[in-house]
Amino acid sequence: MRRYNPFYFIGQAFEGLFRNGVMSFASIAVLTSLLVVIGGFTLLVTNIDVNLDEFGLINQIVVFCDPNASDEQIATIGEAIGKLDNIESVQHVTKEEGLEQMKAEYDIYDDVDEANNPLPDSFVITYLENEKVPNLDYQLNQIEGIAKVNNRLDLATKIEGFKRGVMLVFVWFLVILGVVSIFIIINTIKLSVFSRRNEISIMQYVGATGWFISLPYIIEGAVIGIVSSVAAYFIEWYIYSYIEEMVITDLQMISILQFTDIRGYVFWGFVGLGIITGVLGSIISLARYLRQ
Amino acid sequence: MIDFVNVKKAYPNGTMALKGIDLHIDEGEFVFVCGPSGAGKSTLMKLLLREERISSGKLTVGEYDLSELSNVRVPYYRRELGVVFQDFRLFPKKTVFENVAFAMEVVGTPKSLIARRVPAILNTVNLNGKQDSFPNEISGGEQQRVALARALANNPKVIIADEPTGNIDPKMSLEIMSLLIKINKLGKTVIVVTHEKDLVDYYKQRVVMLDNGLIVEDRVGGMFNAQV
Ligand SMILES: Nc1ncnc2c1ncn2[C@@H]1O[C@H](COP(=O)(O)OP(=O)(O)O)[C@@H](O)[C@H]1O
Ligand SMILES: [Mg+2]
């Protein structure tokens, strides 16, 4: 029966980490930066999306009917909208529903009731493509009984553009930092392997398998990944709380996710990414032994 | 057991280290491999260890056909061999016991078995009492005996020693050589590369003489060939 001692592999991994302390530290520093940047951008993009959702800016047009339109006319308007191009869904918001929504959001409307409801019926249209909105806008204006088409395309496009810009910078950062991280981890592990080349050659002579030889280094890579992800988590937490505080006090119109609500995603996301990067770096530098 | 059939070995730089070796070694045989420096003795050992691959011909060891052995199976093949080098190659930070035990840990031997087997092997190579010493605290001859114990740890069928006495003084050499003979008597096939004329003559075993990549003589009964 074969039995391997797990502490052997873990012990070897830590020995390697400390033996080449400077390189290990460099790996951890770079990987931590990578994770903080990835986390930062992801949180930024997520928050932009949350705000877009909240403002109803994502692919939505609201049309208001003539306040004097009869129920029949309104039904006709709804049908007419449904027949147009580039429409994903149409939702009818009656004047009563509209009022309820208003009341829920702003308490200054408390004294308004159904009798003196100033709101017209409206339709919330979710469309498919931004490019075709001017056309849709025009067609909506042609429908009889529609008083106003609330088209926030300009703002939506601007925010979309900003988001796209952020994503572009993000992708480049990701690529560059990712390559640098993997490169440094590869070299850290190579150094670790090199300083033990004699031991490895003895292990090969006595019949150690590639996995037996490589496992300590794979664990070493994983430990680099875990340490980096924990460090990145606390750094991200600190930075995000600072921004959160700023947004809450100075930019009340913008909503921001609370870190406490997303900490789990951040933490496990970092740990996962960190381990994958660390282990990948190890495996690349060990390919020779693993094949053998 | 071991069969070389017209084995040739060319190194990537073009050196023809072995130019057509035909050699058969039976299970339980003891063979000295001798010859001048550069004759190809170490290359022959490296082929047996599958550290190098043969360029042409056929080489089989037991049930293993080394010309077809895939890389992933090499570790399992190596467990059938025990190897000793001129420079001992012990772990300096491990004790004598740990050095021997390590060879067993590497192949996943249970701890209890290691604890029982290592002292027995150290006894075979006359190293009782040294098990807690570190390599730098014992003599070259003793270090080589630790290496020999490590080679025996996984109970291999074949022991390969490339100039095992090259780095130790003559008196110690005699002890190493007599241990190799003893191990052979315990049933193992033993192949020893050596330069030591006196020892070869003394033990009167089969001698394979290599020169310039070819076997020039293969006979039983010692007598280092004076012409070479
Ligand atoms: N890795 C190598 N690459 C190229 N040539 C080598 C290599 N190893 C050995 N040789 C050459 O092969 C020949 C045989 O070497 P070797 O087997 O070490 O001889 P021996 O052990 O009998 O002294 C020599 O000419 C040597 O220079
Ligand atoms: Mg040699």
Side-chain angles (χ1 to χ4, degrees):
Chain A
M1 194 188 72
R2 299 283 169 215
R3 208 181 299 140
Y4 293 98
N5 178 3
F7 296 108
Y8 163 77
F9 300 106
I10 296 166
Q12 289 292 302
F14 278 93
E15 204 184 301
L17 274 173
F18 288 111
R19 187 178 331 203
N20 304 303
V22 176
M23 278 302 277
S24 307
F25 183 78
S27 296
I28 290 170
V30 174
L31 186 50
T32 303
S33 323
L34 170 74
L35 292 171
V36 169
V37 171
I38 291 177
F41 276 107
T42 310
L43 290 175
L44 178 58
V45 171
T46 313
N47 272 298
I48 291 175
D49 275 342
V50 167
N51 280 283
L52 288 181
D53 266 341
E54 221 141 275
F55 290 137
L57 282 174
I58 292 176
N59 292 9
Q60 283 187 354
I61 295 177
V62 182
V63 298
F64 295 97
C65 302
D66 196 323
N68 305 318
S70 66
D71 287 353
E72 242 167 75
Q73 276 173 312
I74 287 165
T76 322
I77 292 171
E79 270 170 43
I81 295 172
K83 282 182 193 145
L84 296 176
D85 227 13
N86 194 23
I87 301 242
E88 192 186 278
S89 69
V90 181
Q91 191 203 344
H92 180 199
V93 181
T94 64
K95 54 178 79 174
E96 293 78 21
E97 287 166 348
L99 183 64
E100 258 166 56
Q101 283 175 13
M102 289 284 261
K103 280 185 164 179
E105 269 179 62
Y106 312 93
D107 29 356
I108 48 170
Y109 290 98
D110 273 355
D111 56 340
V112 182
D113 59 28
E114 306 224 337
N116 58 4
N117 183 357
L119 294 173
D121 278 52
S122 62
F123 288 94
V124 176
I125 300 165
T126 308
Y127 58 83
L128 297 166
E129 289 169 57
N130 267 330
E131 292 74 46
K132 294 185 185 163
V133 169
N135 190 30
L136 181 60
D137 191 80
Y138 175 79
Q139 289 173 324
L140 287 170
N141 275 303
Q142 297 303 301
I143 296 174
E144 207 174 323
I146 289 185
K148 189 165 179 248
V149 178
N150 226 352
N151 164 4
R152 283 171 290 187
L153 184 63
D154 276 1
L155 188 53
T157 321
K158 266 184 207 148
I159 294 177
E160 278 296 331
F162 176 64
K163 212 174 101 181
R164 215 167 289 157
V166 169
M167 293 290 266
L168 196 70
V169 175
F170 171 60
V171 168
W172 276 109
F173 254 86
L174 193 77
V175 169
I176 292 165
L177 274 173
V179 168
V180 171
S181 300
I182 300 242
F183 179 80
I184 292 193
I185 292 169
I186 289 174
N187 280 289
T188 305
I189 302 293
K190 271 199 177 145
L191 200 67
S192 199
V193 171
F194 184 76
S195 61
R196 279 188 286 209
R197 63 196 178 287
N198 293 330
E199 298 164 35
I200 290 177
S201 107
I202 294 168
M203 287 160 79
Q204 289 177 321
Y205 282 124
V206 296
T209 57
W211 279 107
F212 184 91
I213 292 170
S214 306
L215 201 53
Y217 305 99
I218 292 174
I219 295 174
E220 194 175 329
V223 170
I224 288 174
I226 292 169
V227 172
S228 305
S229 56
V230 172
Y233 173 76
F234 284 107
I235 294 171
E236 196 81 66
W237 186 1
Y238 181 81
I239 296 175
Y240 193 87
S241 308
Y242 182 79
I243 294 172
E244 200 179 316
E245 185 74 31
M246 210 167 70
V247 168
I248 290 170
T249 50
D250 300 338
L251 296 164
Q252 285 154 354
M253 47 179 292
I254 297 179
S255 39
I256 183 162
L257 292 169
Q258 289 196 312
F259 194 78
T260 43
D261 291 339
I262 50 173
R263 66 194 332 169
Y265 297 105
V266 175
F267 184 77
W268 292 112
F270 279 0
V271 170
L273 265 179
I275 291 179
I276 289 171
T277 315
V279 169
L280 195 68
S282 303
I283 288 179
I284 293 172
S285 34
L286 289 163
R288 194 155 68 94
Y289 295 102
L290 285 170
R291 244 183 286 120
Q292 132 86 43
Chain B
M1 172 97 214
I2 298 172
D3 239 321
F4 287 78
V5 181
N6 196 20
V7 168
K8 294 179 182 161
K9 174 62 189 178
Y11 282 107
N13 68 359
T15 311
M16 280 295 284
L18 296 174
K19 299 172 179 169
I21 299 290
D22 287 291
L23 176 64
H24 179 85
I25 298 172
D26 272 326
E27 188 160 4
E29 257 195 283
F30 188 105
V31 180
F32 280 123
V33 177
C34 305
S37 173
K41 307 179 296 294
S42 291
T43 301
L44 198 74
M45 298 302 114
K46 284 177 183 166
L47 293 182
L48 279 174
L49 286 167
R50 182 44 167 72
E51 198 177 331
E52 294 285 347
R53 282 165 169 272
I54 64 172
S55 304
S56 68
K58 193 171 171 70
L59 172 56
T60 50
V61 178
E63 74 239 42
Y64 292 91
D65 181 343
L66 295 200
S67 36
E68 284 175 359
L69 189 66
S70 70
N71 283 335
V72 283
R73 289 185 58 213
V74 168
Y76 303 97
Y77 164 66
R78 293 233 174 107
R79 294 174 193 182
E80 310 269 326
L81 312 173
V83 58
V84 175
F85 298 97
Q86 186 171 352
D87 54 359
F88 323 141
R89 302 195 193 177
L90 301 175
F91 287 94
K93 286 185 196 149
K94 287 188 194 290
T95 63
V96 166
F97 181 97
E98 288 163 352
N99 264 284
V100 179
F102 186 69
M104 299 172 78
E105 285 162 12
V106 154
V107 301
T109 311
K111 259 206 149 41
S112 55
L113 185 57
I114 294 177
R116 261 182 289 132
R117 190 163 157 76
V118 174
I121 300 170
L122 288 175
N123 189 39
T124 309
V125 299
N126 307 329
L127 272 179
N128 345 42
K130 294 281 181 186
Q131 67 173 35
D132 294 325
S133 307
F134 286 91
N136 64 357
E137 296 167 350
I138 57 180
S139 73
E142 286 167 330
Q143 287 183 53
Q144 193 59 300
R145 278 185 274 153
V146 177
L148 196 51
R150 179 178 64 195
L152 291 167
N154 290 322
N155 198 17
K157 295 198 180 77
V158 183
I159 297 286
I160 292 170
D162 192 353
E163 306 204 22
T165 59
N167 274 3
I168 45 189
D169 60 68
K171 219 179 90 207
M172 296 287 202
S173 300
L174 184 68
E175 182 164 13
I176 294 291
M177 216 52 99
S178 65
L179 274 174
L180 285 163
I181 297 278
K182 173 177 164 190
I183 287 162
N184 170 245
K185 298 240 164 71
L186 294 173
K188 308 220 180 282
T189 309
V190 177
I191 304 169
V192 182
V193 172
T194 187
H195 273 127
E196 309 220 23
K197 182 181 183 311
D198 297 344
L199 287 174
V200 173
D201 284 346
Y202 176 76
Y203 284 108
K204 306 221 179 323
Q205 298 287 338
R206 179 177 174 190
V207 181
V208 172
M209 286 291 296
L210 273 182
D211 191 17
N212 198 17
L214 287 168
I215 293 177
V216 291
E217 206 173 333
D218 180 355
R219 64 171 179 197
V220 182
M223 291 303 289
F224 202 100
N225 191 331
Q227 298 160 359
V228 188

